[in-house]
Amino acid sequence: MRPTRTQTTIAIAWVLFWMLMITTAVQEYLRDNDHGVWKPILWETSSAFTGTLLIVTQRYFTRKYDHLISSPLRWFARQLVWLPAYWVVFVPIAFGIRHAGYILAGDTYTHLAWPQVFLYEDVKMTVYFFIFTTIAFGVLSFHAMLDEKLRVERINASLREAQLLRLSQQLQPHFLFNALNTISSLMHSDVARADAMLIQLADVLRATLDVGEQHEVPLELELRLLRGYASLMSERFADRVHIAWHIDESLLACRVPVMSMQPLLENVFKHTVERRRQNTAITISIAREDDVIVLRLEDDGGVLSAPGATTAKPSGIGVRNLRERLAALYGARASFNLTQLAPAGVRAEMRLPCVS
């Protein structure tokens, strides 16, 4: 349970519950006695203290299993191991407090034989344990539902922004104009190349439509779009760019965020290739490291705003959108970094979970 309004409400309800228990015990005691009202107060406060201590301890050590809330049987199994602690610990602590209180008051605390006390109190503690655990499960499930709702909203918001980027940045008019202009110029000198480039442009547009409203697509489809874009841009800068591909074919079924690599390649062309006269070497590699798929895109001429260091800051709307989508889809299981290479060049690296 997180330190929020919900936790504060539960704490207040807990205090009110024990105040009710104390009040009830006092009223029952006064029916048969006209003095010594401190006794029922001591009984209930010792129970309240011990019960609260057990609950806080249980939550402290089982909080790490909150991620299992979507698997109730596994979550409850982790909680159930604490039930014997309630059986063993409650009576010594609660009754120890009562005995100490009576001694300080110059009285003697009498009760049933210890086996009967343990049996009676352990039955109560079992009911108490299951009530608390069920309430905790309900509260955690409620928060998990809210977190999932927020995650879906963030994904949808990022997807909408990605769709706008696809229209306004990734396939913006100047890109289409340049591609068509290159095709037009080739028509007079190399019809075969012009025809191939036109087919490639059509494939890029078709691949863009194929991704539709999806948040993730197989790596194979993402590469289809990326290769198409790379082919068109390489044709435009035929004498100024060379792209090397190192792809682990066994990863083609892994799902990756839609339109995640194309903005990175576009940044290289926009900020490096277009601004250099010499040739730019670009390397695109995709490999597996344990259960992580590593996607890298490197060039040998780019420069970050903070040379010589890894930057965690967004580098344009496309990169910012990518970071937000990675966080929404995978949380801490995914990462993205831009690294300045020496003597020049930039490496963009994504690490995503992949279990296929």
Side-chain angles (χ1 to χ4, degrees), residues 42-177:
L42 175 62
W43 302 338
E44 297 303 324
T45 53
S46 63
S47 295
F49 171 79
T50 309
T52 303
L53 177 64
L54 287 167
I55 283 178
V56 171
T57 304
Q58 179 187 351
R59 278 298 298 148
Y60 178 80
F61 286 103
T62 62
R63 192 183 302 272
K64 59 186 176 182
Y65 301 120
D66 287 354
H67 66 282
L68 298 176
I69 202 69
S70 59
S71 303
L73 291 179
R74 295 176 62 191
W75 186 85
F76 274 104
R78 298 301 192 282
Q79 309 301 317
L80 195 59
V81 299
W82 280 85
L83 182 55
Y86 283 70
W87 294 340
V88 173
V89 172
F90 178 81
V91 170
I93 295 180
F95 279 67
I97 293 174
R98 295 175 192 179
H99 276 286
Y102 270 71
I103 291 174
L104 291 175
D107 203 342
T108 301
Y109 180 51
T110 59
H111 50 74
L112 298 174
W114 285 113
Q116 293 175 285
V117 169
F118 269 93
L119 177 61
Y120 177 74
E121 296 296 338
D122 286 349
V123 170
K124 289 171 55 178
M125 281 298 99
T126 300
V127 175
Y128 173 86
F129 170 84
F130 279 106
I131 290 176
F132 162 72
T133 303
T134 302
I135 292 174
F137 177 79
V139 173
L140 291 173
S141 297
F142 175 72
H143 279 297
M145 180 188 69
L146 293 182
D147 290 342
E148 178 64 17
K149 181 179 179 181
L150 178 61
R151 189 182 74 87
V152 171
E153 289 176 352
R154 289 175 61 193
I155 291 175
N156 289 334
S158 295
L159 180 61
R160 285 193 294 270
E161 186 175 347
Q163 291 166 344
L164 291 175
L165 284 172
R166 200 157 60 231
L167 296 175
S168 64
Q169 187 180 40
Q170 294 162 352
L171 289 176
Q172 51 190 289
H174 88 264
F175 163 69
L176 292 174
F177 173 79

Side-chain angles (χ1 to χ4, degrees), residues 22-320:
I22 293 172
T23 302
T24 302
V26 169
Q27 289 177 338
E28 291 181 351
Y29 182 83
L30 291 177
R31 287 201 192 109
D32 303 318
N33 303 273
D34 55 2
H35 66 281
V37 72
W38 60 270
K39 295 181 180 179
I41 295 177
L42 175 62
W43 302 338
E44 297 303 324
T45 53
S46 63
S47 295
F49 171 79
T50 309
T52 303
L53 177 64
L54 287 167
I55 283 178
V56 171
T57 304
Q58 179 187 351
R59 278 298 298 148
Y60 178 80
F61 286 103
T62 62
R63 192 183 302 272
K64 59 186 176 182
Y65 301 120
D66 287 354
H67 66 282
L68 298 176
I69 202 69
S70 59
S71 303
L73 291 179
R74 295 176 62 191
W75 186 85
F76 274 104
R78 298 301 192 282
Q79 309 301 317
L80 195 59
V81 299
W82 280 85
L83 182 55
Y86 283 70
W87 294 340
V88 173
V89 172
F90 178 81
V91 170
I93 295 180
F95 279 67
I97 293 174
R98 295 175 192 179
H99 276 286
Y102 270 71
I103 291 174
L104 291 175
D107 203 342
T108 301
Y109 180 51
T110 59
H111 50 74
L112 298 174
W114 285 113
Q116 293 175 285
V117 169
F118 269 93
L119 177 61
Y120 177 74
E121 296 296 338
D122 286 349
V123 170
K124 289 171 55 178
M125 281 298 99
T126 300
V127 175
Y128 173 86
F129 170 84
F130 279 106
I131 290 176
F132 162 72
T133 303
T134 302
I135 292 174
F137 177 79
V139 173
L140 291 173
S141 297
F142 175 72
H143 279 297
M145 180 188 69
L146 293 182
D147 290 342
E148 178 64 17
K149 181 179 179 181
L150 178 61
R151 189 182 74 87
V152 171
E153 289 176 352
R154 289 175 61 193
I155 291 175
N156 289 334
S158 295
L159 180 61
R160 285 193 294 270
E161 186 175 347
Q163 291 166 344
L164 291 175
L165 284 172
R166 200 157 60 231
L167 296 175
S168 64
Q169 187 180 40
Q170 294 162 352
L171 289 176
Q172 51 190 289
H174 88 264
F175 163 69
L176 292 174
F177 173 79
N178 289 332
L180 292 173
N181 189 50
T182 302
I183 293 172
S184 177
S185 64
L186 287 173
M187 292 293 289
H188 301 287
S189 57
D190 193 332
V191 175
R193 286 176 61 195
D195 182 62
M197 190 172 180
L198 188 59
I199 293 174
Q200 198 70 64
L201 177 60
D203 192 55
V204 171
L205 296 174
R206 190 180 302 110
T208 304
L209 294 175
D210 287 345
V211 300
E213 301 294 319
Q214 301 177 67
H215 300 303
E216 296 176 291
V217 295
L219 176 61
E220 184 175 13
L221 180 55
E222 180 73 7
L223 284 175
R224 174 185 162 194
L225 181 61
L226 186 66
R227 288 183 186 275
Y229 178 83
S231 179
L232 289 171
M233 298 303 289
S234 296
E235 191 66 49
R236 180 184 170 198
F237 299 99
D239 58 339
R240 293 163 54 187
V241 66
H242 172 74
I243 301 179
W245 301 81
H246 303 287
I247 310 298
D248 184 342
E249 300 291 331
S250 67
L251 300 174
L252 295 181
C254 286
R255 299 185 68 80
V256 299
V258 61
M259 305 290 285
S260 56
M261 298 192 70
Q262 189 269 345
L264 303 178
L265 184 57
E266 182 177 357
N267 278 345
V268 176
F269 278 102
K270 181 177 180 180
H271 299 293
T272 302
V273 177
E274 291 185 4
R275 300 180 182 183
R276 301 179 78 205
R277 293 184 177 274
Q278 62 268 45
N279 185 278
T280 298
I282 301 173
T283 301
I284 299 174
S285 62
I286 301 177
R288 180 194 293 273
E289 293 183 7
D290 297 324
D291 291 332
V292 175
I293 177 174
V294 182
L295 306 94
R296 292 191 183 97
L297 194 152
E298 299 181 8
D299 67 79
D300 64 350
V303 177
L304 294 176
S305 57
T310 300
T311 178
K313 297 181 179 179
S315 181
I317 187 171
V319 172
R320 184 174 69 250

